[in-house]
Amino acid sequence: MNKRPVKHSVTLKGHRTSVSLEDEFWFELRAIAAEKDMPINALVAHIDAERGLETGLASAIRLFVLRTLKDRLP
């Protein structure tokens, strides 16, 4: 897997935007979206709506993935 962030386009509120994340985060984000049976754009829109103004979108996604994975631990 690539160690550098990789840009992917997502659609938020009808506009395309690029988000740079490491491959591992893209992989886990896609898996979480599949588990929730929702498109990745919808999941990213949810994360975007929940983040604070001081948090960038890529950081908010990383934190969401981390929290989701931590919640699965016994």
Side-chain angles (χ1 to χ4, degrees), residues 5-23:
V6 179
K7 278 188 182 182
H8 288 273
S9 293
V10 294
T11 302
L12 295 175
K13 300 174 187 167
H15 300 283
R16 301 289 284 170
T17 188
S18 293
V19 180
S20 294
L21 296 171
E22 295 77 10
D23 283 338

Side-chain angles (χ1 to χ4, degrees), residues 4 8-9 11 14 29 35 38 44 46 55 57 66 71 73:
R4 291 184 170 207
H8 288 273
S9 293
T11 302
L29 185 64
E35 288 171 12
M38 62 191 307
V44 172
H46 169 75
T55 305
L57 181 57
L66 179 62
D71 286 347
L73 296 175

Side-chain angles (χ1 to χ4, degrees), residues 11-74:
T11 302
L12 295 175
K13 300 174 187 167
H15 300 283
R16 301 289 284 170
T17 188
S18 293
V19 180
S20 294
L21 296 171
E22 295 77 10
D23 283 338
E24 292 86 353
F25 283 101
W26 284 118
F27 179 84
E28 293 299 335
L29 185 64
R30 285 186 193 98
I32 293 166
E35 288 171 12
K36 293 179 176 286
D37 195 30
M38 62 191 307
I40 196 160
N41 284 334
L43 181 56
V44 172
H46 169 75
I47 295 167
D48 182 50
E50 296 293 316
R51 72 182 167 115
L53 294 175
E54 68 285 347
T55 305
L57 181 57
S59 294
I61 292 170
R62 286 184 187 97
L63 291 171
F64 174 84
V65 169
L66 179 62
R67 287 185 194 114
T68 301
L69 295 176
K70 283 179 73 172
D71 286 347
R72 294 179 184 167
L73 296 175

